Amino acid sequence: MTYARPVRLAALAATLTLGSAVLAAGPAAAVTGPAVSAADNTYAYTAQITVGDHDRGCSGVLVDREWLLTAASCFAADPAAGLSVPAGKPATKTTAVIGRSDLTGTAGAARQIVELVPRTDRDAVLARLNRPVTNVAPVALATTAPTTGESLTLAGYGRTATEWAPLSLHTGTFTVDAPAATTASVTGTGSTAACMGDTGGPLVRGTAGTAQLAALASQSYQGGCYGIDATETRTGGVVTRVDDLASWVSATTGAVRVTDFNCDGVEDIAISDPRATVGGVGAAGLIRIVYGGGKGIAEINQNLDWVPGAAEASDWFGESLATVDYDEDGCTDLAVGTPAEDLGNTADAGMLDVLHGAAGGLGTGAVKNTHFEEGSGNGSLATAVAQAGDRFGDSIAAGVTAAGEPFVVSGAPGESVSGQAKAGAAFYLHGATNVIVHQDSTDVPGAPEPNDGFGGAVSADRNFFAVGAPGETIGADGGAGNLAVFSHTLTAAGLPTPRFGLDQDLDTVAGGAEAGDQFGYSLALAPYRPSGATSATDSILAVGSPGEDLDIDGVAKADAGNILTFRITAAGAYTQLNGLSQGTADDDVAGTAEAGDRMGAALTAINTAPRALSTTATMKLAVGTPNEAIGTAANAGAVHTFSLLGAPGANDRWLEAGDGDGIPTAPGADQQLGTSIHYTGTKLYVGLPLGPSTYGTLYALPLSNVTAGGTIAPVTTYQPGAGGLPAAGDRFGYAAR
C-alpha cells in the first residue's frame, strides 16, 4: 500500500501540547481498543513519559532496570525539522511512570529521566532513569526483523478516540506492511491507530513472558484520534525497528558511568592540587576541572563565594576526592574532602563538600553545594563535636547502592571514641541524613583504642563499604591493622549493617598480625557477578598492607608490602582469593621485593562490565608501590596492575616511568609514582604530583596500556602550563576523579 508522507507524531504532540502527557491511549486501543485494567501486568514494561509541565508526552519501554527505549522525536526541539537530540541530560525536566496501567493508582514506579543516549540512524533514544525499577521486568528485544503480514501489539499512553488525556494504558494491533532498513510501515487493524502520546511506545510480538520488542511507534496519520480532522481516516504509519539494536543497548546500559559534571554525555575530569597557593595563601589547595569535548577548564577553590570556608594556609582543599550523582539529576557531583580545615579555633577538624554539577558545570546550578561538618546539619553530624585532629574528610568513597540510592562515606581517623584519642570513625551520608559508625558501634568488630585510625581508608561499591583501621593493635602488635565491612542495608536503628571484620590473626586470612603491618591502610572494592547470578550481587575486596615485612629466600624485607584479595558473597560471607606481592626476579609476578617498597600503599579497582558475567579481563586492580627504587633512583615508585580474578602472575603488568606504557618521563628519585591512581571504565589515571614537572602531572592511560598483553595506545597528559591549564601549582595530580 502506498502512503503519502506520514505526519510525525511527536511534531503534532509539540503543537497540541498535552499529547501523551498522561498514561492513556496506546496505539490500536488508543482509538477503539479497551483500556488495560489496573490489575493487568502484561504490558507493565510500558512507560508514560512527560516532558516539562505536560509540554509534551510520549510513551516508552523498559529495556533495562535503569533504562527506557523510546523515540528520539519525543525530545527533539523541532521533530518536524529533524530528530537530532543532544546526548546528556534532557533540556527540560522529564518524568516517567513505568508499570502503571491505571495512572490514578500506585503500581510500578515513577522516575526522572536524567540522561539521553540517541541513535543517529533512526527515531530512537535510550533514556536513563535516576534510579532502577525493581518491581517491573524489562522486555527483551527481538532478534529478527518484522515481516510482511505479521501482527504486532502496540501499547501506549496517548489519546484515544474520545479522550485528550486518558488515565489508562491502551493497546491495539497493527499489521506490518513492509519492513525497511531501520523502519517498517504498518496499518492499524480495524479502526486502530496510533495517536499523539503513543510516540515511542512498544510494538511487541508474543504475549506475557514471551513478549519481544520488535519496534517503537514513530509516525502516524492518526485517523480517528481525538482532535484530528474527521476527514482523516488513515490508520497507517511508520515504526522504528529495534531488532538490530541489542548490542548497542547492551553496551550503553552495561557501561561504567562516566564523570560528567556538565551533563553533556562527555567525560570530564577533576584534578586536585591540595598544596597550591590560592590568593597568596600557601597550601590552601584547589581543584582544576577539565571539561570534555573542549568545553573549557575551571578552577575551584575556597575563595569562591559558593564554596564553604576560605582559602587558608595548609587547608589542603581537595586532599581527597570522590564522585557520585548525589542529587540524582543526571549531572555528576564532586565530593571534596578538606581534612586539615580548621573550624573556628579547632585545628584540623576537617569538612566535606559535595559540589553539584549542572548544565553549565560545577557550581552553576540552583543548588551548588551540600556541606558537611561535625556539629552542624542533622543526624550524627549534628550531635558530633568537632575536635582538633578529627580530620573528617580524610578519606572518601561514594557511589550508588544496588537499590539506586546515592551515598558518601567519609572517614574521620582522628575522631575520639569513648575517650580513646584518634580511635577513629566513619560517617555514612545518604539521602537527607547521616550516621556515624566506629568500633564502639553495635556489632562492629574491634574496640576503640588510641591511634587505631578507623576511617583512615574507606572504599565502597554497590553492595558493601569497607573501613580500614591501619593503626589497630592486634594482640600486642601495635599498628597491625584491621578493617570492617558493612552492607548498605540499614538496621532497625538506621545504621549500615556490619558484616564482618578482617585482621591477619584470623585463620581465614593469610599471614600473621605483626607490628606495623598497617593491614587496611588502603582498600578497593569492585562489584562481582559470579556464574549463575543475574547481576553483580557479590564483591571483591583488595586490602593493602604496605608495612608488611616479607621473607624472600630467607632474607627479611621490612615494609616491602603486600595485598590480599577476598570475595564477599551477597549474604556477607568472605573467602580469601589471592595474596599479591613482589618476590624475586624469577617469580611470575613482576618486580623484586625490597625493603621499604611499601607495595599496596594505594589501590584502585574496577569492574569494567558490571552487568556482564565477571571475567579476568573485566575485573581490574592497580597497586601503587611509591617507594620502589628504579635503578639508582630511590623512591621513584611504580604501579602494578592485576586481574582481581585468576592467577596473579598470569595477569599482571608492571608500569614505571619511561618504560613505554604511557608515562614518558624518566624515573626520578622521590617522585613516588603510585601515590595517585584511579580507574575509570576506560582509563587508569596515574598522578605524578612530586615531579619531574615543577607543578605535577596527571596521565590518563588507556586500559590496553595497563593490561597484560595489551597494546600501547596514546595517553592523555594533563600538566599545568599546557592544554590551557595555568602554569601554577605545587602537587597537581595528587588526586583525580
Side-chain angles (χ1 to χ4, degrees), residues 341-540:
E341 180 77 23
D342 298 346
L343 299 182
N345 294 323
T346 305
D348 298 343
M351 66 185 192
L352 183 149
D353 292 281
V354 176
L355 310 179
H356 292 282
L362 288 168
T364 64
V367 178
K368 304 178 187 302
N369 180 286
T370 300
H371 180 68
F372 300 96
E373 65 179 57
E374 294 186 82
S376 68
N378 57 20
S380 296
L381 279 175
T383 58
V385 178
Q387 299 173 317
D390 280 349
R391 289 189 60 81
F392 174 66
D394 181 270
S395 56
I396 308 175
V400 175
T401 69
E405 183 175 34
F407 66 87
V408 177
V409 183
S410 174
E415 186 85 14
S416 292
V417 176
S418 301
Q420 306 300 305
K422 299 183 180 180
F427 289 84
Y428 185 68
L429 316 174
H430 65 106
T433 190
N434 57 78
V435 294
I436 187 173
V437 293
H438 48 65
Q439 290 181 305
D440 217 11
S441 300
T442 302
D443 295 330
V444 175
E449 299 164 321
N451 301 311
D452 280 348
F454 185 84
V458 295
S459 186
D461 68 4
R462 67 196 298 270
N463 303 315
F464 304 98
F465 70 91
V467 182
E472 177 81 14
T473 296
I474 304 296
D477 296 313
N482 76 347
L483 62 92
V485 172
F486 303 80
S487 76
H488 296 291
T489 302
L490 301 183
T491 66
L495 299 173
T497 304
R499 291 303 185 187
F500 58 86
L502 293 176
D503 67 68
Q504 288 184 292
D505 256 5
L506 297 174
D507 292 339
T508 50
V509 179
E514 300 166 319
D517 278 350
Q518 296 183 307
F519 181 79
Y521 183 92
S522 59
L523 303 168
L525 267 166
Y528 168 60
R529 178 181 166 185
S531 177
T534 58
S535 63
T537 56
D538 296 10
S539 298
I540 295 183

Side-chain angles (χ1 to χ4, degrees), residues 282-684:
L286 58 79
I287 300 165
R288 303 214 183 268
I289 310 298
V290 180
Y291 292 106
K295 292 190 177 178
I297 293 170
E299 176 182 321
I300 298 174
N301 61 62
Q302 290 182 296
N303 277 349
L304 298 175
D305 59 8
W306 59 275
V307 180
E312 299 166 319
S314 300
D315 272 352
W316 278 60
F317 175 75
E319 185 173 349
S320 55
L321 299 176
T323 54
V324 60
D325 184 1
Y326 196 71
D327 53 10
E328 301 179 74
D329 68 346
C331 307
T332 304
D333 306 319
L334 180 65
V336 181
T338 313
E341 180 77 23
D342 298 346
L343 299 182
N345 294 323
T346 305
D348 298 343
M351 66 185 192
L352 183 149
D353 292 281
V354 176
L355 310 179
H356 292 282
L362 288 168
T364 64
V367 178
K368 304 178 187 302
N369 180 286
T370 300
H371 180 68
F372 300 96
E373 65 179 57
E374 294 186 82
S376 68
N378 57 20
S380 296
L381 279 175
T383 58
V385 178
Q387 299 173 317
D390 280 349
R391 289 189 60 81
F392 174 66
D394 181 270
S395 56
I396 308 175
V400 175
T401 69
E405 183 175 34
F407 66 87
V408 177
V409 183
S410 174
E415 186 85 14
S416 292
V417 176
S418 301
Q420 306 300 305
K422 299 183 180 180
F427 289 84
Y428 185 68
L429 316 174
H430 65 106
T433 190
N434 57 78
V435 294
I436 187 173
V437 293
H438 48 65
Q439 290 181 305
D440 217 11
S441 300
T442 302
D443 295 330
V444 175
E449 299 164 321
N451 301 311
D452 280 348
F454 185 84
V458 295
S459 186
D461 68 4
R462 67 196 298 270
N463 303 315
F464 304 98
F465 70 91
V467 182
E472 177 81 14
T473 296
I474 304 296
D477 296 313
N482 76 347
L483 62 92
V485 172
F486 303 80
S487 76
H488 296 291
T489 302
L490 301 183
T491 66
L495 299 173
T497 304
R499 291 303 185 187
F500 58 86
L502 293 176
D503 67 68
Q504 288 184 292
D505 256 5
L506 297 174
D507 292 339
T508 50
V509 179
E514 300 166 319
D517 278 350
Q518 296 183 307
F519 181 79
Y521 183 92
S522 59
L523 303 168
L525 267 166
Y528 168 60
R529 178 181 166 185
S531 177
T534 58
S535 63
T537 56
D538 296 10
S539 298
I540 295 183
L541 169 67
V543 183
S545 301
E548 182 80 21
D549 299 346
L550 299 181
D551 185 298
I552 306 298
D553 293 338
V555 179
K557 305 291 185 180
D559 297 342
N562 75 348
I563 302 93
L564 301 181
T565 61
F566 302 85
R567 174 183 171 182
I568 309 173
T569 67
Y574 72 88
T575 305
Q576 184 176 321
L577 297 178
N578 285 311
L580 308 174
S581 63
Q582 300 179 57
T584 69
D586 297 325
D587 291 342
D588 287 340
V589 176
T592 301
E594 299 166 321
D597 279 348
R598 292 188 60 79
M599 181 182 183
L603 299 175
T604 179
I606 195 165
N607 181 345
T608 59
R611 301 291 185 87
L613 189 69
S614 298
T615 67
T616 56
T618 62
M619 300 294 296
K620 297 181 179 296
L621 173 70
V623 178
T625 308
N627 291 5
E628 178 80 23
I630 305 296
T632 59
N635 302 322
V639 176
H640 211 153
T641 65
F642 299 88
S643 171
L644 284 166
L645 303 175
N651 298 285
D652 70 325
R653 188 161 189 167
W654 179 265
L655 307 172
E656 63 183 57
D659 66 354
D661 294 321
I663 304 171
T665 184
D670 299 319
Q671 289 179 0
Q672 295 190 328
L673 176 69
T675 56
S676 170
I677 51 177
H678 176 66
Y679 264 127
T680 69
T682 58
K683 303 175 182 70
L684 175 65

Side-chain angles (χ1 to χ4, degrees), residues 190-205:
S191 58
T192 296
C195 299
M196 280 202 299
D198 293 328
T199 305
L203 286 94
V204 298
R205 60 166 62 108

Side-chain angles (χ1 to χ4, degrees), residues 259-273:
T259 295
D260 186 9
F261 299 123
N262 57 357
C263 32
D264 64 352
V266 182
E267 187 169 6
D268 307 319
I269 181 70
I271 310 165
S272 77
D273 188 340

Side-chain angles (χ1 to χ4, degrees), residues 142-310:
T143 56
T144 57
T147 58
T148 301
E150 180 180 10
S151 291
L152 301 175
T153 301
L154 172 62
Y157 290 104
R159 299 179 188 179
T160 66
T162 59
E163 297 174 287
W164 177 283
L167 295 174
S168 297
L169 175 69
H170 290 70
T171 63
T173 304
F174 285 75
T175 300
V176 177
D177 298 321
T182 59
T183 61
S185 57
V186 297
T187 300
T189 59
S191 58
T192 296
C195 299
M196 280 202 299
D198 293 328
T199 305
L203 286 94
V204 298
R205 60 166 62 108
T207 58
T210 65
Q212 292 183 327
L213 179 65
L216 301 173
S218 178
Q219 305 171 50
S220 172
Y221 287 115
Q222 303 183 78
C225 296
Y226 186 88
I228 298 300
D229 193 312
T231 61
E232 178 56 79
T233 60
R234 290 172 294 182
T235 61
V238 174
V239 298
T240 300
R241 281 178 48 186
V242 301
D243 54 277
D244 58 341
L245 298 184
S247 60
W248 172 68
V249 170
S250 177
T252 302
T253 61
V256 177
R257 199 165 300 161
V258 302
T259 295
D260 186 9
F261 299 123
N262 57 357
C263 32
D264 64 352
V266 182
E267 187 169 6
D268 307 319
I269 181 70
I271 310 165
S272 77
D273 188 340
R275 274 186 55 89
T277 297
V278 176
V281 179
L286 58 79
I287 300 165
R288 303 214 183 268
I289 310 298
V290 180
Y291 292 106
K295 292 190 177 178
I297 293 170
E299 176 182 321
I300 298 174
N301 61 62
Q302 290 182 296
N303 277 349
L304 298 175
D305 59 8
W306 59 275
V307 180

